[in-house]
Amino acid sequence: MARVLPVVLLMLAAGLATVTAQGWRWRSHGKPGLVNIKSAMAVMKDGKLFGVGGNKKLYERVWTGSSWTWVNHGKPSSGIFNPKNFLEEPCVLRDGKVYMTTIDGDLYERYWTGSQWSFGAHGNPGTKLEGCSAVMGNSGTVFTRGYDGTLRERYWAGSSWAWRNHGKPPGTDAFGTTSSYVIYGPTIRVFVPGSNGHLFRFSLDSNYNGVWRDLGAPSSKSVRKVHATEKGGIFAIMTDGEVCRWSGSWTCYGKPDNKIVWDCSDPFLIESPSININTLFCVHAGSYQEVYQLSVFQGGSGWVNRGKPSGTNTFVDRPTVMFSGPYSRVFVPANDGKVYELYPPGQP
């Protein structure tokens, strides 16, 4: 042990120094006219983000090549006097395809036809729906939670869209929204909190055979939210406000400055020649909120306070991360209705 300990301490110090030394900054993206943004921003490639406004319409923040601008995508209508209202953070299937659920529990799509944006109605499979997570593998796949506690899948069947019902996690109901990704080629993994406080993984292979697995929860804790990516890991927010990671077993990382974590971005991997770092950005509960970065690496972990935009006190939804070349940008909507960007040094 005496010969191993200095190596571990060196790696711990290197990991913390790598993260802490980055002097991140804030800038404002404003808001679309007089409308406040009320949801997290779903990230699409090529500098596009989508979020829901306080008027229940879909909005896009897009980089035109020379400047950022807001685009009002409105909302679909099942009749002239019956527009559909959006509520939650959208999810992105691929460039030109964004999905969202409505207040009355239907799934809708906003897609680029090649010449214009259009809405597509997917309805619901006999139960109202909440939230979504999207996977682009061999076929377009969107997962969402039914009000009846089931995991539902909307997928492209080759010539039309169809629904699959994957049922409930063993012994409990699906709770909250899902997080999903493709791993090892055709296998899809979906992570769902259960109403019993456990985390569940649903694996779906290329033959559409699905298997549930109960991943449990850390001792004396209950899972409230989950965010997962293939390269970044599986992180869950507990009901007590602590952030924990499942990687064959559970490890917890405490609370930033003893503050209760409210929600986090999806995790991602920072690959370095000296040390790889799994990281995510979180906001805590309270009347004065700041963004904290949690980084996990071989030999240790650490929280770094990235502060808040000037003039704001709280955030209205979780941070999301956009990648631009070697850089990562963090976007988060604040209580003044504006979207703010947290960006690292060297980012244009």
Side-chain angles (χ1 to χ4, degrees):
M1 287 297 295
R3 299 185 66 181
V4 174
L5 183 59
V7 176
V8 173
L9 290 176
L10 269 176
M11 294 184 73
L12 176 61
L16 286 173
T18 299
V19 175
T20 306
Q22 297 175 338
W24 292 60
R25 299 179 181 179
W26 288 96
R27 58 185 165 208
S28 173
H29 281 258
K31 58 184 180 180
L34 299 177
V35 178
N36 292 346
I37 295 297
K38 291 292 188 179
S39 81
M41 302 297 289
V43 176
M44 190 179 284
K45 74 171 189 175
D46 298 333
K48 306 181 187 78
L49 303 104
F50 292 83
V52 175
N55 56 3
K56 310 300 189 296
K57 294 181 179 180
L58 178 68
Y59 288 89
E60 177 187 0
R61 184 68 170 166
V62 59
W63 176 253
T64 64
S66 57
S67 64
W68 286 94
T69 188
W70 285 101
V71 178
N72 181 357
H73 284 264
K75 50 188 174 181
S77 176
S78 57
I80 297 175
F81 302 106
N82 185 28
K84 293 288 184 176
N85 292 315
F86 297 124
L87 177 63
E88 297 179 307
E89 173 190 347
C91 63
V92 171
L93 179 60
R94 61 174 181 264
D95 192 32
K97 275 188 174 289
V98 58
Y99 291 77
M100 58 242 102
T101 50
T102 63
I103 290 176
D104 56 358
D106 287 339
L107 180 68
Y108 271 82
E109 173 187 355
R110 186 68 168 168
Y111 63 97
W112 180 251
T113 66
S115 58
Q116 64 181 15
W117 285 97
S118 183
F119 279 111
H122 290 267
N124 68 62
T127 180
K128 291 183 178 181
L129 305 170
E130 178 185 27
C132 67
S133 61
V135 170
M136 184 56 193
N138 295 335
S139 62
T141 302
V142 179
F143 292 95
T144 180
R145 186 188 74 87
Y147 277 28
D148 59 357
T150 58
L151 175 66
R152 303 288 179 142
E153 177 190 356
R154 186 67 167 167
Y155 70 100
W156 181 249
S159 58
S160 63
W161 286 93
W163 289 102
R164 287 194 189 102
N165 181 0
H166 295 298
K168 299 180 179 183
T172 190
D173 288 347
F175 175 80
T177 56
T178 67
S179 186
S180 59
Y181 60 80
V182 174
I183 188 169
Y184 304 137
T187 302
I188 296 173
R189 289 188 170 175
V190 189
F191 297 87
V192 184
S195 58
N196 63 353
H198 286 199
L199 179 63
F200 290 85
R201 184 183 72 197
F202 181 78
S203 298
L204 185 68
D205 66 21
S206 58
N207 294 318
Y208 311 115
N209 298 312
V211 177
W212 284 101
R213 181 181 175 185
D214 186 346
L215 304 182
S219 178
S220 303
K221 294 183 184 294
S222 294
V223 174
R224 182 170 55 86
K225 287 180 177 289
V226 59
H227 299 295
T229 63
E230 181 182 359
K231 290 189 175 181
I234 302 113
F235 286 82
I237 300 113
M238 303 295 142
T239 53
D240 65 359
E242 193 170 355
V243 176
C244 303
R245 183 188 183 199
W246 188 86
S247 181
S249 60
W250 285 99
T251 305
C252 295
Y253 305 102
K255 305 171 188 175
D257 293 335
N258 205 33
K259 298 171 182 175
I260 293 173
V261 172
W262 172 41
D263 206 352
C264 300
S265 70
D266 290 339
F268 59 95
L269 178 65
I270 301 174
E271 295 180 288
S272 165
S274 58
I275 188 168
N276 288 343
I277 302 172
N278 298 91
T279 192
L280 68 167
F281 293 84
C282 302
V283 293
H284 59 84
S287 58
Y288 182 94
Q289 295 174 314
E290 295 173 302
V291 172
Y292 281 82
Q293 182 180 0
L294 171 62
S295 297
V296 178
F297 41 86
Q298 185 178 356
S301 64
W303 288 96
V304 177
N305 187 346
R306 298 299 182 192
K308 68 180 187 69
S310 177
T312 65
N313 288 322
T314 59
F315 300 108
V316 298
D317 210 333
R318 73 184 184 113
T320 51
V321 179
M322 172 186 284
F323 294 96
S324 178
Y327 301 104
S328 55
R329 305 178 179 195
V330 182
F331 293 84
V332 58
N335 63 297
D336 60 1
K338 298 177 181 178
V339 174
Y340 289 89
E341 177 188 350
L342 176 65
Y343 63 99
Q347 176 67 55

